C-alpha cells in the first residue's frame, strides 16, 4: 500500500515513501540540515530569526517555494491583529495566495483570517479536523495540498503599516516518485457581498470547470435586518444544472449542523450558543467591537456570526462544473421574508488543473467588517 498523504490513524503503521521538510523564517528553502542556523545574542542556533520582521505596506513576500513532487501537510501562522487603534483589521488586510506547478494565477486567494475561519478581522477559537485556531491567533491548516512540479505560497501586506512580526511554518513532504495522474489540486476562494440582492441567492462559488470535489465552506455573516436570519437554503448546481440544483438543503443553520437557531433561554432572554466539532461549527458571535475603546462612542456593531462546514466525509463530487449558492431568507411574526444581509465566504475544493481565473479580490476597504 502506497501512502501518499498523512493524517489518518489507520495509515500510521504503513511505511512512508517520502521525505519530511519544513519551511520557516530560519530555513526559508526547507533545505535538509539547514534549520535553526541563525544566531541571536544567545549564540548560534538560538532563535536568531524566528519570524519575518517589518513586512512593508504594499509588499508581497514569498513564504515558501518548493521544487519537486510533494504535498503540503500543515501550515501554522501567527501575527498581530492590529498595528494601531485605527488599523485593527490586519487579518482582513493580509492576503494569502497559493500556486501549484506552473500556474501564474493562484489556486488559493483569501484574506488570511477568513482562510483560517476567523472572519471580520477577528480571532476566535476553532477546533475542527482541517482548520484549527487557538489563542492567540495560532492559525493552523491541515488540508492536504499536493503538487507535481512545484508549490509557491505568498503573503501580500495590504495593511496601512508594516507588519512587525510574522511567524509561520510550512510542513511538507517530497515524494520519491511522481504523484498519480488523478490527484486533484487544492483551491480556496474568498467572496463578499456587502448587501445581498433581494430574491437573488448569494454565490459562494461559481465558474468552476473540470473534475473535482467540494470540501468546505466558511461563512462570515453580518445580519442587517431584524428577526431570524437562517432560513436560506444552500444549493449545489452540479454538471450542467441550470434552473434547479441537484442538492438543496433545508436552511442555513441546518447546513452548519445546527437546529432551532442554536439558542437557549437564560432568564427570559434568547442566548446563542457557539460550538466547534470536527466537521461543522459556529465558532464566533459578537455584536460588539472588542478591539478598541473610545471615549466618544460605545462598542455596539451589527451582529457578526462565523460558521464552517467541512465536506470531508461527504464531498460534493462533480465531473464538469460546479456552482454553490445560499439564499437570504428570514422568518418573523408575519412568516418568511426575503432579506438583505452582508455575507462573506471562503469556498474550499479540489479539482483538476487548469482552473478558471478568479474574479478580482475586493480592495481592502471593501473587505473591512462593518
Amino acid at each position: 500500500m502506497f501512502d501518499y498523504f498523512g493524517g489518518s490513524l489507520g495509515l500510521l503503521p504503513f511505511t512512508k515513501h517520502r521525505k519530511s521538510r519544513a519551511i520557516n523564517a530560519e530555513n526559508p528553502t526547507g533545505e535538509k540540515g539547514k534549520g535553526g542556523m541563525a544566531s541571536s545574542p544567545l549564540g548560534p542556533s538560538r532563535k536568531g530569526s524566528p519570524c519575518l520582521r517589518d513586512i512593508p505596506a504594499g509588499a508581497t513576500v514569498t513564504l515558501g517555494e518548493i521544487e519537486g513532487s510533494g504535498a503540503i501537510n500543515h501550515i501554522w501562522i501567527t501575527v498581530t491583529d492590529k498595528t494601531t487603534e485605527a488599523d485593527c483589521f490586519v487579518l482582513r488586510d493580509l492576503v494569502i495566495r497559493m500556486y501549484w506547478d506552473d500556474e501564474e494565477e493562484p489556486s488559493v486567494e483569501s484574506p488570511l483570517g477568513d482562510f483560517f475561519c476567523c472572519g471580520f478581522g477577528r480571532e476566535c477559537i476553532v477546533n475542527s479536523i482541517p482548520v484549527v485556531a487557538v489563542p492567540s491567533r495560532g492559525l493552523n491548516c491541515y488540508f492536504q495540498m499536493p503538487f507535481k512540479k512545484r508549490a509557491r505560497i505568498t503573503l501580500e501586506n495590504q495593511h496601512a503599516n508594516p507588519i512587525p512580526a510574522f511567524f509561520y511554518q510550512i510542513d511538507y513532504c517530497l515524494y520519491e516518485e511522481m504523484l498519480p495522474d488523478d490527484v486533484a489540486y487544492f483551491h480556496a476562494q474568498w467572496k463578499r457581498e456587502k448587501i445581498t440582492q433581494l430574491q437573488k441567492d448569494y454565490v459562494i462559488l461559481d465558474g468552476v470547470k473540470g473534475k473535482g470535489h467540494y470540501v468546505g465552506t466558511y461563512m462570515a455573516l453580518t445580519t442587517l435586518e431584524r428577526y431570524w436570519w437562517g432560513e436560506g437554503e444552500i444549493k449545489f448546481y452540479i454538471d450542467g444544472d441550470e434552473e434547479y440544483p441537484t442538492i438543496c438543503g433545508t436552511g442555513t443553520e441546518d447546513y452548519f449542523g445546527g437546529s432551532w437557531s442554536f439558542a437557549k433561554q437564560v432568564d427570559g432572554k434568547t442566548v446563542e450558543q457557539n460550538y466547534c466539532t470536527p466537521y461543522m461549527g459556529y465558532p464566533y458571535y459578537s455584536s460588539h467591537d472588542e478591539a478598541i475603546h473610545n471615549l466618544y462612542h460605545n462598542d455596539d456593531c451589527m451582529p457578526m456570526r462565523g460558521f464552517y462546514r467541512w465536506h470531508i466525509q461527504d464531498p460534493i463530487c462533480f465531473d464538469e462544473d460546479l456552482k454553490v449558492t445560499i439564499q437570504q431568507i428570514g422568518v418573523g411574526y408575519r412568516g418568511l421574508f426575503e432579506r438583505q444581509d452582508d455575507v462573506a465566504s471562503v469556498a474550499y475544493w479540489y479539482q483538476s488543473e487548469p482552473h478558471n481565473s478568479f474574479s478580482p479580490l475586493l480592495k481592502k476597504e471593501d473587505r473591512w467588517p462593518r
Side-chain angles (χ1 to χ4, degrees):
M1 179 180 181
F2 198 100
D3 171 18
Y4 285 102
F5 306 113
S8 169
L9 289 173
L11 295 176
L12 284 179
F14 291 93
T15 300
K16 313 302 177 188
H17 298 274
R18 55 193 190 226
K19 300 181 185 301
S20 295
R21 300 287 186 265
I23 287 173
N24 56 28
E26 289 198 309
N27 188 6
T29 64
E31 188 175 353
K32 183 179 182 300
K34 299 294 184 180
M37 295 178 65
S39 296
S40 77
L42 299 177
S45 191
R46 310 301 292 179
K47 295 182 72 69
S49 182
C51 63
L52 301 180
R53 298 189 183 279
D54 297 320
I55 301 174
T60 296
V61 295
T62 297
L63 300 181
E65 191 157 11
I66 306 165
E67 296 289 336
S69 176
I72 294 169
N73 310 124
H74 170 238
I75 299 172
W76 165 79
I77 289 170
T78 188
V79 66
T80 186
D81 59 349
K82 65 180 179 180
T83 56
T84 72
E85 292 299 303
D87 302 298
C88 56
F89 298 136
V90 171
L91 296 180
R92 275 267 166 97
D93 290 345
L94 298 181
V95 179
I96 190 167
R97 297 183 177 93
M98 303 182 192
Y99 305 79
W100 313 126
D101 295 346
D102 297 322
E103 65 183 6
E104 297 182 358
E105 298 188 14
S107 288
V108 172
E109 184 176 57
S110 174
L112 182 70
D114 292 67
F115 180 80
F116 291 95
C117 300
C118 292
F120 312 104
R122 293 290 172 263
E123 66 185 89
C124 63
I125 304 301
V126 180
N127 288 313
S128 75
I129 294 292
V131 173
V132 178
V134 303
S136 293
R137 295 173 307 283
L139 309 175
N140 297 267
C141 176
Y142 284 95
F143 276 117
Q144 302 295 287
M145 304 176 186
F147 49 91
K148 295 180 180 179
K149 297 179 181 179
R150 61 186 57 86
R152 180 164 58 99
I153 300 179
T154 68
L155 181 84
E156 183 181 359
N157 179 17
Q158 297 184 358
H159 192 60
N161 308 313
I163 301 301
F166 186 88
F167 297 82
Y168 74 102
Q169 182 159 318
I170 302 168
D171 297 305
Y172 66 98
C173 288
L174 296 173
Y175 298 128
E176 298 173 0
E177 60 182 63
M178 185 65 69
L179 286 169
D181 290 339
D182 63 350
V183 167
Y185 291 83
F186 178 74
H187 293 71
Q189 184 184 18
W190 184 87
K191 289 178 176 288
R192 183 189 190 184
E193 280 189 35
K194 295 185 74 172
I195 301 179
T196 57
Q197 300 180 52
L198 279 174
Q199 296 184 308
K200 185 174 181 180
D201 299 352
Y202 171 80
V203 176
I204 296 171
L205 182 64
D206 196 8
V208 173
K209 302 293 183 182
K211 183 177 178 61
H213 44 285
Y214 187 86
V215 296
T217 308
Y218 170 70
M219 187 170 79
L221 170 69
T222 305
T223 49
L224 305 182
E225 301 189 33
R226 64 184 66 196
Y227 307 130
W228 172 240
W229 45 267
E231 293 302 313
E233 299 170 345
I234 193 164
K235 304 174 184 179
F236 293 91
Y237 296 81
I238 302 171
D239 295 340
D241 290 342
E242 294 184 0
E243 186 175 2
Y244 297 104
T246 295
I247 298 174
C248 183
T250 59
T252 303
E253 93 270 37
D254 307 337
Y255 174 66
F256 293 106
S259 58
W260 305 109
S261 81
F262 315 107
K264 64 179 179 180
Q265 297 298 309
V266 178
D267 298 328
K269 293 185 177 181
T270 300
V271 178
E272 300 196 40
Q273 302 177 93
N274 295 111
Y275 62 93
C276 287
T277 77
Y279 301 117
M280 55 189 66
Y282 174 20
Y284 185 77
Y285 169 77
S286 180
S287 58
H288 300 281
D289 187 347
E290 302 94 343
I292 63 171
H293 174 71
N294 191 286
L295 298 177
Y296 300 100
H297 59 78
N298 61 29
D299 67 350
D300 291 351
C301 55
M302 298 291 186
M304 299 171 288
R305 297 170 172 89
F307 307 90
Y308 65 84
R309 169 70 156 88
W310 307 127
H311 294 270
I312 295 176
Q313 300 291 358
D314 56 341
I316 307 299
C317 300
F318 56 94
D319 291 321
E320 299 173 4
D321 54 71
L322 179 69
K323 180 179 179 180
V324 185
T325 69
I326 192 165
Q327 300 166 326
Q328 295 300 294
I329 297 178
V331 68
Y333 294 102
R334 296 180 178 86
L336 294 172
F337 66 96
E338 300 281 353
R339 297 177 58 94
Q340 289 180 280
D341 291 307
D342 181 342
V343 186
S345 60
V346 181
Y348 307 78
W349 76 101
Y350 288 86
Q351 72 160 94
S352 57
E353 290 285 6
H355 69 272
N356 281 347
S357 300
F358 292 174
S359 55
L361 188 69
L362 295 179
K363 63 181 182 179
K364 67 176 183 181
E365 292 83 0
D366 291 331
R367 301 198 302 265
W368 290 344
R370 291 178 179 273

